[in-house]
Amino acid sequence: MEQKRATIGDVAKRAGVSITTVSRVLNKNYPVKEATRQKVEEAIEILDFKPNLLARGLIHNRTQTIGILTPSIENLFFSEVVKGIDSAIKANGYTAFLGNTEGDSDQEKLMIDNMKNRSVDGIIAINPRTNNIKSGYYEALSKQIPLIIINGYNRGIHCNYVLNDGEVGALEAFRYLYECGHREIAFLRGQVSYSYDVKEDMYKQFCKDYHLTYRHENILVVEDGNGLETVEQSKALVEQILRKQSGLTSLFACNDWMAVGALNAAKSLGITVPDDFSIIGFDNTIISQITEPRLTTVDQSMSRLGQISGKRICELIEGKSSENKKIVIETKLLKRESVGQVNR
Amino acid sequence: MEQKRATIGDVAKRAGVSITTVSRVLNKNYPVKEATRQKVEEAIEILDFKPNLLARGLIHNRTQTIGILTPSIENLFFSEVVKGIDSAIKANGYTAFLGNTEGDSDQEKLMIDNMKNRSVDGIIAINPRTNNIKSGYYEALSKQIPLIIINGYNRGIHCNYVLNDGEVGALEAFRYLYECGHREIAFLRGQVSYSYDVKEDMYKQFCKDYHLTYRHENILVVEDGNGLETVEQSKALVEQILRKQSGLTSLFACNDWMAVGALNAAKSLGITVPDDFSIIGFDNTIISQITEPRLTTVDQSMSRLGQISGKRICELIEGKSSENKKIVIETKLLKRESVGQVNR
DNA sequence: TTGTAAGCGTTATCAG
DNA sequence: CTGATAACGCTTACAA
C-alpha cells in the first residue's frame, strides 16, 4: 500500500528549482518569475503534490483545525449544532475534530487534552459539564486556547459563551400555558445541565410571580436527558404522576424527547392531548414536527447556534476579537397543536 | 494568550538530561536508569509537558487519526453510525476527523483530499456517492490508504465494504406484507444511493417471484432522502398517490423518515394506519419507535455498523488484515403496529 | 528573482 | 544506560 506522496523536494527536483521557490509558488507570498512558476506548477500537477499539513502546522503552530466536544453526537440536538459549526468553520478553511464525551466530566478533560496535543486552533464545547465550568477549568483553558462554550454558563466565570435564551424561552412557554388557563403545570427535566437549571429557576420564579403554588412533587427528573432512553424514562415518570395527580392540566418538558415521552404517556393512559392535557416541549428538533399532535415547542435554532459559534471561534483564532463575550440567541415559541385551553 | 507549551527540550533541560533520554522515558522503548526516569517524570509533571502529536505524526507518518465522511451528520441514521465508529476507534486510541459532504460527490473528494493532507491513518466513508465508487475513485484511494465504505457497494470494485443486508431486509419486509395479504405495494425511495437501488431491485424481483404486477407508477421517488425535508416531500408524494390510486393497500419506505412522511399523509387524508393502509419503514431509527402507531421497520443496528467499521479500520491500519473484505450485517424485521392484515 | 540554511518538536540511528 | 545528530516536510530569514 502507501505509495508515498510526493514532497516539496520531489517537486523542486522535477522542476529544477529550489525547495524555497516551490514553497513560494505554493504560498504566493513572494514574487516568482512567470516562467519558473509555470515549471513548478507543471511539476506539482504531474506529481499530484499536496502540501503536508502536519509539517505546516508544526511550523506555524496553526493547524486549521477545531475541536468539537459533544455529550453525544447521536442526539438530534447536538448533531444539528455540530452541523452548524461544521458549515461555518468549513467556510473559513477549518476542519473539525470530533469528540464524544458521554457527558462525563473526566472524559471531557481527556478529550480536551487530546485536542490540545493535536494542536487544534480552537475548541468548542457543547453542553459541557457544569462542574468543569464552575471549577474554573474552562476559564483557565480559555487563557491557553480560543474556546467557546455552547449552552453552558456560569456568572463570574469569564469565558466565551454562546447560548440560547433559555430563560426567556421558558418563561414565554410558562406564560402561554397560563394564558391558556393552566394553573397546575408539571416540570420535566434531566438530571444535570446548566440549561435545565436555568429553566427550573424560571419555573420557580414564574410560580411566584403568577401566584401559583409551587409543588415539589410536580418537578420530574429523568436520569439521562440526552440518551436514547430519555423518551422511555420520561414516559414512565409522566404516567406515574398522571395516575396520582389528577389536578395536573399541563406539562413543560426541557426538551422535545422528554415531551414525546410525555405525549406517549398520555396516549397510553387514554388521555387526549391537547384536550385533556397540554404538553410543551423545547428545542424544535425535527421530531417535534412529526408527532401527532405536533408539539408546541420553543425553537432554539440549533444550527444557527452552531453557525454563530463556528464563526466566532474563527474570529477568536484570527485575533479579530479578544475579549470574552456572552452571546445570547433568541428563542421563539412555536405554537402548534399540543397545547389547548383548559376546559372547566 | 497562548502561554506556550513545554517542549521535550524544556523537560530535558529541567531534568538535566538529553532530549533523547526524555523521549525514552516517554516511549518506554529503551532502558533508562530508575533514578533518571524519576527525575524526568518529575520534570514532566512540573512543566505539565504533553508531547506534540503533530511532530510525532510527521516522523511516523501516523497520526492516530481517522477521517469520517458523512452526507449529513444531522441525520439520525448517520449520526448513530458515527457514534459507533467513534466509540470503536477511541478504544484503539484514535480520534475522528469529521467531514460533511452534503451528499455531493465533488465535496466528497475534496474532503478526502483534505484528510489525506492531514495525514489521517484511515478513512471511513458513510453512504458515499455511487458514482465515486463506480468510477474507480475509491478503489484507487484504497490502494493509498486504509479505507472502508459503509453502505455502498459495487460488484467488481475492490474495496473494504461494511454494509447491511438491505436485500434480505427488504425482501423480508415485502414477504411480510404479502403474508398479511397485501398485493398492491407502493415503493418509496430517495433519488440516488446504492441502498435505494438495492431495495428497488429486490422489489422488482419480489414482484416477479410472487406474480404481482409491477407498476411503474407505484415507484415513488423523493428528491432528497436524508435531509430534513424528506418527511415533507414523502408526505406530498404519498398523498398524491393515495388520492388517485385507490387499489393501493400498503407502502414500503426505504427509510423511517419517508415512512413517517407516508404516515402523516395517511393521517391527513383520514386514512387509518394500519387498518386501511399499511406502512413499513427501514432503519429502526428512534423515530420509528415514537410515532403513533409505532412503525414496523427493519433494524439495521446502525451503531453496530459503525462499531464494526471502526474496529476493522483499526485492523487495516495496524496491518492485522490486508485483503479486501465485504462484511455484511444482518438486518431484522421488527413487527410493530403500522402493518395490518388486508381486509377484504 | 532565486537559493542556502536554520528551525518547528519529535523519534531513530549510531556512537560511546 | 546515555547523548549527539540526522531526519520527517515544510516555511522563513538571510544572502546572493
Side-chain angles (χ1 to χ4, degrees), chain A residues 63-64 90 95 100 118, chain B residues 5 63 90 100 117-118:
Chain A
T63 53
Q64 298 296 113
K90 190 189 282 177
T95 303
N100 265 291
R118 302 202 120 91
Chain B
R5 290 161 66 99
T63 52
K90 191 190 282 177
N100 265 292
N117 300 344
R118 304 201 121 90

Side-chain angles (χ1 to χ4, degrees), chain A residues 290-311:
Chain A
I290 63 176
T291 54
E292 180 61 29
R294 296 183 312 147
L295 276 173
T296 289
T297 189
V298 179
D299 181 34
Q300 298 219 58
S301 54
M302 283 83 60
S303 93
R304 217 173 125 247
L305 199 63
Q307 278 172 351
I308 289 179
S309 307
K311 224 167 125 189

Side-chain angles (χ1 to χ4, degrees), chain A residues 103 105 108 127-138 151-154 157 189 191-197:
Chain A
S105 82
E108 217 167 277
N127 282 47
R129 299 296 297 220
T130 30
N131 61 340
N132 281 341
I133 303 183
K134 281 190 189 153
S135 71
Y137 171 78
Y138 277 111
N151 276 0
Y153 177 70
N154 205 283
I157 299 284
R189 61 166 291 175
Q191 208 141 56
V192 279
S193 166
Y194 166 73
S195 64
Y196 304 140
D197 295 342

Side-chain angles (χ1 to χ4, degrees), chain B residues 10-141:
Chain B
D10 300 330
V11 175
K13 203 175 293 172
R14 173 123 205 163
V17 298
S18 77
I19 287 185
T20 313
T21 302
V22 177
S23 169
R24 288 203 259 257
V25 344
L26 241 39
N27 299 297
K28 310 183 205 294
N29 49 359
Y30 286 92
V32 172
K33 199 161 66 180
E34 188 51 30
T36 36
R37 142 165 294 119
Q38 299 258 331
K39 274 191 301 181
V40 172
E41 275 169 351
E42 217 166 279
I44 290 179
E45 179 79 12
I46 293 172
L47 298 174
D48 189 33
F49 166 79
K50 305 271 173 51
N52 180 327
L53 266 28
L54 247 41
R56 262 191 195 165
L58 193 53
I59 294 172
H60 291 138
N61 210 19
R62 281 279 302 280
T63 52
Q64 297 297 112
T65 273
I66 286 169
I68 302 180
L69 295 184
T70 115
S72 65
I73 188 67
E74 86 284 9
N75 177 290
L76 262 180
F77 176 82
F78 301 127
S79 61
E80 286 180 31
V81 175
V82 169
K83 166 78 171 246
I85 296 175
D86 185 72
S87 84
I89 66 174
K90 191 190 282 177
N92 287 273
Y94 292 84
T95 302
F97 260 114
L98 189 69
N100 265 292
T101 66
E102 314 284 341
D104 178 85
S105 83
D106 289 329
Q107 277 225 47
E108 217 168 277
K109 293 190 197 171
L110 239 42
M111 294 290 329
I112 286 178
D113 266 345
N114 181 293
M115 309 232 150
K116 288 204 291 183
N117 300 344
R118 304 201 121 90
S119 307
V120 296
D121 298 334
I123 294 177
I124 297 181
I126 306 175
N127 282 46
R129 299 297 297 221
T130 31
N131 61 341
N132 281 341
I133 304 182
K134 282 190 189 152
S135 71
Y137 171 79
Y138 277 111
E139 184 164 4
L141 180 64

